[in-house]
Short mmCIF file of all heavy atoms in Angstrom, two decimals:
data_model
loop_
_atom_site.label_atom_id
_atom_site.label_comp_id
_atom_site.label_asym_id
_atom_site.label_seq_id
_atom_site.Cartn_x
_atom_site.Cartn_y
_atom_site.Cartn_z
N VAL A 156 -52.05 4.84 -8.60
CA VAL A 156 -51.33 6.13 -8.74
C VAL A 156 -49.92 5.95 -8.37
O VAL A 156 -49.60 5.31 -7.35
CB VAL A 156 -52.06 7.25 -7.88
CG1 VAL A 156 -51.21 8.46 -7.83
CG2 VAL A 156 -53.42 7.55 -8.35
N LYS A 157 -48.98 6.47 -9.18
CA LYS A 157 -47.63 6.37 -8.93
C LYS A 157 -47.01 7.68 -8.38
O LYS A 157 -47.46 8.76 -8.75
CB LYS A 157 -46.83 6.05 -10.15
CG LYS A 157 -47.16 4.62 -10.74
CD LYS A 157 -46.42 4.29 -11.93
CE LYS A 157 -46.89 2.88 -12.36
NZ LYS A 157 -46.50 2.60 -13.71
N ARG A 158 -46.23 7.55 -7.26
CA ARG A 158 -45.59 8.67 -6.60
C ARG A 158 -44.11 8.36 -6.43
O ARG A 158 -43.71 7.22 -6.22
CB ARG A 158 -46.28 8.86 -5.25
CG ARG A 158 -47.73 9.07 -5.12
CD ARG A 158 -48.15 10.55 -5.35
NE ARG A 158 -47.41 11.60 -4.63
CZ ARG A 158 -47.71 12.09 -3.43
NH1 ARG A 158 -48.80 11.70 -2.86
NH2 ARG A 158 -46.99 13.00 -2.96
N ILE A 159 -43.30 9.39 -6.27
CA ILE A 159 -41.90 9.34 -6.02
C ILE A 159 -41.61 10.03 -4.71
O ILE A 159 -42.00 11.16 -4.56
CB ILE A 159 -41.08 9.86 -7.10
CG1 ILE A 159 -41.23 9.09 -8.38
CG2 ILE A 159 -39.53 9.78 -6.69
CD1 ILE A 159 -40.57 9.66 -9.62
N PHE A 160 -41.09 9.34 -3.78
CA PHE A 160 -40.61 9.89 -2.50
C PHE A 160 -39.18 9.77 -2.19
O PHE A 160 -38.63 8.78 -2.68
CB PHE A 160 -41.38 9.14 -1.31
CG PHE A 160 -42.94 9.33 -1.35
CD1 PHE A 160 -43.70 8.32 -1.75
CD2 PHE A 160 -43.52 10.53 -0.97
CE1 PHE A 160 -45.11 8.39 -1.76
CE2 PHE A 160 -44.90 10.59 -0.98
CZ PHE A 160 -45.66 9.55 -1.36
N THR A 161 -38.60 10.66 -1.48
CA THR A 161 -37.23 10.53 -0.95
C THR A 161 -37.36 10.30 0.54
O THR A 161 -38.04 11.12 1.24
CB THR A 161 -36.41 11.73 -1.28
OG1 THR A 161 -36.44 11.91 -2.75
CG2 THR A 161 -35.00 11.55 -0.76
N ILE A 162 -36.69 9.26 1.05
CA ILE A 162 -36.74 8.97 2.48
C ILE A 162 -35.63 9.82 3.13
O ILE A 162 -34.50 9.69 2.78
CB ILE A 162 -36.53 7.46 2.75
CG1 ILE A 162 -37.47 6.67 1.94
CG2 ILE A 162 -36.62 7.21 4.28
CD1 ILE A 162 -38.92 6.70 2.30
N VAL A 163 -36.04 10.64 4.16
CA VAL A 163 -35.15 11.55 4.78
C VAL A 163 -35.22 11.47 6.30
O VAL A 163 -36.18 10.81 6.83
CB VAL A 163 -35.43 13.06 4.30
CG1 VAL A 163 -35.13 13.15 2.82
CG2 VAL A 163 -36.77 13.49 4.67
N GLY A 164 -34.34 12.20 6.95
CA GLY A 164 -34.47 12.29 8.42
C GLY A 164 -35.63 13.20 8.84
O GLY A 164 -36.23 13.95 7.94
N SER A 165 -36.13 13.12 10.07
CA SER A 165 -37.27 13.88 10.53
C SER A 165 -37.14 15.29 10.26
O SER A 165 -38.18 15.97 9.95
CB SER A 165 -37.45 13.56 12.04
OG SER A 165 -37.65 12.21 12.30
N GLU A 166 -35.99 15.93 10.47
CA GLU A 166 -35.81 17.37 10.36
C GLU A 166 -35.99 17.80 8.89
O GLU A 166 -36.35 18.98 8.67
CB GLU A 166 -34.44 17.84 10.82
CG GLU A 166 -34.13 17.45 12.29
CD GLU A 166 -33.73 16.00 12.43
OE1 GLU A 166 -33.02 15.47 11.52
OE2 GLU A 166 -34.11 15.43 13.43
N GLU A 167 -35.78 16.95 7.94
CA GLU A 167 -35.80 17.31 6.54
C GLU A 167 -37.15 17.03 5.93
O GLU A 167 -37.39 17.46 4.77
CB GLU A 167 -34.79 16.57 5.74
CG GLU A 167 -33.38 16.80 6.23
CD GLU A 167 -32.41 15.76 5.66
OE1 GLU A 167 -32.31 14.64 6.25
OE2 GLU A 167 -31.73 16.05 4.72
N ALA A 168 -38.00 16.36 6.58
CA ALA A 168 -39.33 15.91 6.02
C ALA A 168 -40.16 17.05 5.52
O ALA A 168 -40.22 18.07 6.22
CB ALA A 168 -40.04 15.01 6.99
N ASP A 169 -40.75 16.91 4.36
CA ASP A 169 -41.68 17.85 3.82
C ASP A 169 -42.52 17.10 2.74
O ASP A 169 -42.14 17.00 1.61
CB ASP A 169 -40.89 18.99 3.08
CG ASP A 169 -41.73 20.10 2.51
OD1 ASP A 169 -42.96 19.94 2.52
OD2 ASP A 169 -41.14 21.03 1.90
N ALA A 170 -43.65 16.54 3.27
CA ALA A 170 -44.49 15.64 2.47
C ALA A 170 -44.99 16.32 1.11
O ALA A 170 -45.06 15.62 0.08
CB ALA A 170 -45.64 15.11 3.24
N THR A 171 -45.20 17.64 1.14
CA THR A 171 -45.70 18.28 -0.02
C THR A 171 -44.63 18.33 -1.14
O THR A 171 -45.02 18.43 -2.30
CB THR A 171 -46.18 19.73 0.28
OG1 THR A 171 -45.09 20.46 0.84
CG2 THR A 171 -47.33 19.71 1.20
N ASN A 172 -43.39 18.15 -0.71
CA ASN A 172 -42.32 18.09 -1.79
C ASN A 172 -41.74 16.72 -1.89
O ASN A 172 -40.62 16.56 -2.47
CB ASN A 172 -41.25 19.11 -1.35
CG ASN A 172 -41.70 20.56 -1.61
OD1 ASN A 172 -42.19 20.86 -2.63
ND2 ASN A 172 -41.50 21.39 -0.63
N GLY A 173 -42.42 15.69 -1.48
CA GLY A 173 -42.06 14.30 -1.61
C GLY A 173 -40.96 13.84 -0.73
O GLY A 173 -40.29 12.82 -0.98
N LEU A 174 -40.61 14.64 0.37
CA LEU A 174 -39.61 14.22 1.29
C LEU A 174 -40.29 13.63 2.52
O LEU A 174 -40.94 14.26 3.27
CB LEU A 174 -38.84 15.45 1.73
CG LEU A 174 -38.07 16.18 0.62
CD1 LEU A 174 -37.45 17.47 1.15
CD2 LEU A 174 -37.07 15.27 -0.09
N ILE A 175 -40.12 12.28 2.74
CA ILE A 175 -40.86 11.51 3.70
C ILE A 175 -39.88 11.09 4.82
O ILE A 175 -38.85 10.54 4.49
CB ILE A 175 -41.59 10.35 3.10
CG1 ILE A 175 -42.56 10.72 2.04
CG2 ILE A 175 -42.27 9.47 4.17
CD1 ILE A 175 -43.67 11.54 2.51
N SER A 176 -40.32 11.34 6.11
CA SER A 176 -39.41 10.97 7.23
C SER A 176 -39.36 9.43 7.27
O SER A 176 -40.36 8.78 7.10
CB SER A 176 -40.10 11.44 8.49
OG SER A 176 -39.39 10.94 9.58
N MET A 177 -38.14 9.00 7.65
CA MET A 177 -37.93 7.54 7.85
C MET A 177 -38.73 7.06 9.07
O MET A 177 -38.92 5.89 9.23
CB MET A 177 -36.47 7.24 8.10
CG MET A 177 -35.79 7.86 9.24
SD MET A 177 -34.08 7.50 9.29
CE MET A 177 -33.65 8.23 10.84
N ARG A 178 -39.25 7.95 9.93
CA ARG A 178 -39.99 7.64 11.07
C ARG A 178 -41.50 7.71 10.81
O ARG A 178 -42.31 7.47 11.73
CB ARG A 178 -39.57 8.44 12.23
CG ARG A 178 -38.13 8.18 12.63
CD ARG A 178 -37.80 8.81 13.92
NE ARG A 178 -36.43 8.34 14.40
CZ ARG A 178 -35.55 9.11 14.92
NH1 ARG A 178 -35.81 10.37 15.22
NH2 ARG A 178 -34.36 8.68 15.31
N SER A 179 -41.89 8.19 9.68
CA SER A 179 -43.30 8.23 9.32
C SER A 179 -43.90 6.92 9.12
O SER A 179 -43.09 5.99 8.91
CB SER A 179 -43.51 9.10 8.04
OG SER A 179 -43.01 8.35 6.92
N PRO A 180 -45.23 6.67 9.14
CA PRO A 180 -45.80 5.39 8.87
C PRO A 180 -45.31 4.77 7.57
O PRO A 180 -44.98 3.64 7.48
CB PRO A 180 -47.27 5.62 8.95
CG PRO A 180 -47.45 6.77 9.90
CD PRO A 180 -46.20 7.65 9.61
N LEU A 181 -45.33 5.63 6.50
CA LEU A 181 -44.82 5.15 5.22
C LEU A 181 -43.38 4.81 5.17
O LEU A 181 -42.93 3.78 4.70
CB LEU A 181 -45.11 6.18 4.12
CG LEU A 181 -44.89 5.87 2.64
CD1 LEU A 181 -45.74 6.57 1.72
CD2 LEU A 181 -43.45 5.94 2.26
N GLY A 182 -42.56 5.68 5.82
CA GLY A 182 -41.11 5.48 5.88
C GLY A 182 -40.71 4.21 6.63
O GLY A 182 -39.90 3.39 6.24
N VAL A 183 -41.39 3.96 7.80
CA VAL A 183 -41.15 2.84 8.63
C VAL A 183 -41.56 1.51 7.77
O VAL A 183 -40.82 0.49 7.78
CB VAL A 183 -41.89 2.86 9.95
CG1 VAL A 183 -41.90 1.51 10.69
CG2 VAL A 183 -41.32 3.96 10.81
N ALA A 184 -42.71 1.52 7.25
CA ALA A 184 -43.23 0.38 6.44
C ALA A 184 -42.33 0.04 5.19
O ALA A 184 -42.24 -1.12 4.88
CB ALA A 184 -44.68 0.58 6.01
N ALA A 185 -41.80 1.08 4.57
CA ALA A 185 -40.96 0.85 3.37
C ALA A 185 -39.59 0.35 3.70
O ALA A 185 -38.93 -0.23 2.83
CB ALA A 185 -40.93 2.11 2.57
N MET A 186 -39.04 0.70 4.85
CA MET A 186 -37.66 0.33 5.26
C MET A 186 -37.40 -1.20 5.07
O MET A 186 -38.26 -1.94 5.62
CB MET A 186 -37.35 0.86 6.53
CG MET A 186 -37.06 2.28 6.69
SD MET A 186 -35.69 2.78 5.72
CE MET A 186 -35.32 4.25 6.44
N GLY A 187 -36.42 -1.51 4.45
CA GLY A 187 -36.01 -2.98 4.29
C GLY A 187 -36.70 -3.63 3.20
O GLY A 187 -36.43 -4.82 2.97
N LYS A 188 -37.63 -3.00 2.48
CA LYS A 188 -38.33 -3.66 1.38
C LYS A 188 -37.51 -3.47 0.05
O LYS A 188 -36.75 -2.46 -0.09
CB LYS A 188 -39.69 -3.05 1.23
CG LYS A 188 -40.56 -3.20 2.43
CD LYS A 188 -41.02 -4.54 2.67
CE LYS A 188 -42.04 -4.74 3.73
NZ LYS A 188 -41.58 -4.48 5.16
N GLY A 189 -37.72 -4.25 -0.83
CA GLY A 189 -37.03 -4.21 -2.13
C GLY A 189 -38.01 -3.98 -3.35
O GLY A 189 -39.19 -4.07 -3.13
N LYS A 190 -37.43 -3.81 -4.50
CA LYS A 190 -38.27 -3.55 -5.71
C LYS A 190 -39.18 -4.74 -5.91
O LYS A 190 -38.78 -5.90 -5.76
CB LYS A 190 -37.23 -3.45 -6.89
CG LYS A 190 -37.90 -3.22 -8.18
CD LYS A 190 -36.86 -2.97 -9.35
CE LYS A 190 -37.54 -2.85 -10.65
NZ LYS A 190 -36.57 -2.68 -11.74
N GLY A 191 -40.44 -4.45 -6.22
CA GLY A 191 -41.43 -5.45 -6.46
C GLY A 191 -42.24 -5.86 -5.27
O GLY A 191 -43.25 -6.51 -5.33
N GLU A 192 -41.74 -5.50 -4.07
CA GLU A 192 -42.43 -5.82 -2.78
C GLU A 192 -43.56 -4.83 -2.51
O GLU A 192 -43.43 -3.65 -2.84
CB GLU A 192 -41.44 -5.90 -1.59
CG GLU A 192 -40.46 -7.04 -1.69
CD GLU A 192 -39.68 -7.16 -0.38
OE1 GLU A 192 -40.22 -7.70 0.56
OE2 GLU A 192 -38.49 -6.65 -0.38
N SER A 193 -44.57 -5.34 -1.91
CA SER A 193 -45.66 -4.56 -1.41
C SER A 193 -45.64 -4.39 0.06
O SER A 193 -45.08 -5.31 0.78
CB SER A 193 -46.97 -5.19 -1.82
OG SER A 193 -47.14 -5.09 -3.27
N PHE A 194 -46.16 -3.34 0.59
CA PHE A 194 -46.27 -3.16 2.07
C PHE A 194 -47.48 -2.34 2.44
O PHE A 194 -47.96 -1.63 1.57
CB PHE A 194 -44.96 -2.49 2.61
CG PHE A 194 -44.73 -1.09 2.04
CD1 PHE A 194 -45.27 0.04 2.66
CD2 PHE A 194 -44.00 -0.94 0.89
CE1 PHE A 194 -45.06 1.31 2.13
CE2 PHE A 194 -43.75 0.33 0.38
CZ PHE A 194 -44.31 1.45 0.98
N SER A 195 -47.94 -2.45 3.60
CA SER A 195 -49.12 -1.72 4.12
C SER A 195 -48.84 -1.06 5.42
O SER A 195 -48.00 -1.38 6.19
CB SER A 195 -50.34 -2.65 4.28
OG SER A 195 -50.70 -3.33 3.05
N PHE A 196 -49.58 -0.04 5.73
CA PHE A 196 -49.52 0.60 6.92
C PHE A 196 -50.89 1.35 7.27
O PHE A 196 -51.63 1.60 6.35
CB PHE A 196 -48.30 1.71 7.03
CG PHE A 196 -48.41 2.73 5.98
CD1 PHE A 196 -49.02 3.98 6.28
CD2 PHE A 196 -47.98 2.52 4.72
CE1 PHE A 196 -49.06 4.99 5.28
CE2 PHE A 196 -48.01 3.51 3.69
CZ PHE A 196 -48.61 4.66 3.98
N SER A 197 -51.11 1.55 8.48
CA SER A 197 -52.30 2.27 8.93
C SER A 197 -52.27 3.75 8.96
O SER A 197 -51.22 4.34 9.37
CB SER A 197 -52.77 1.76 10.34
OG SER A 197 -53.02 0.42 10.25
N THR A 198 -53.32 4.45 8.50
CA THR A 198 -53.43 5.90 8.61
C THR A 198 -54.75 6.23 9.21
O THR A 198 -55.58 5.37 9.34
CB THR A 198 -53.34 6.59 7.15
OG1 THR A 198 -54.53 6.29 6.43
CG2 THR A 198 -52.15 6.02 6.37
#
Side-chain angles (χ1 to χ4, degrees):
V156 169
K157 293 181 182 165
R158 301 274 316 263
I159 298 173
F160 296 106
T161 301
I162 308 295
V163 297
S165 299
E166 302 81 33
E167 303 165 276
D169 181 358
T171 58
N172 288 312
L174 302 174
I175 302 297
S176 169
M177 64 183 181
R178 294 190 176 144
S179 69
L181 189 152
V183 169
M186 287 297 203
K188 302 290 189 288
K190 183 177 176 179
E192 288 188 82
S193 294
F194 61 90
S195 299
F196 58 96
S197 296
T198 71

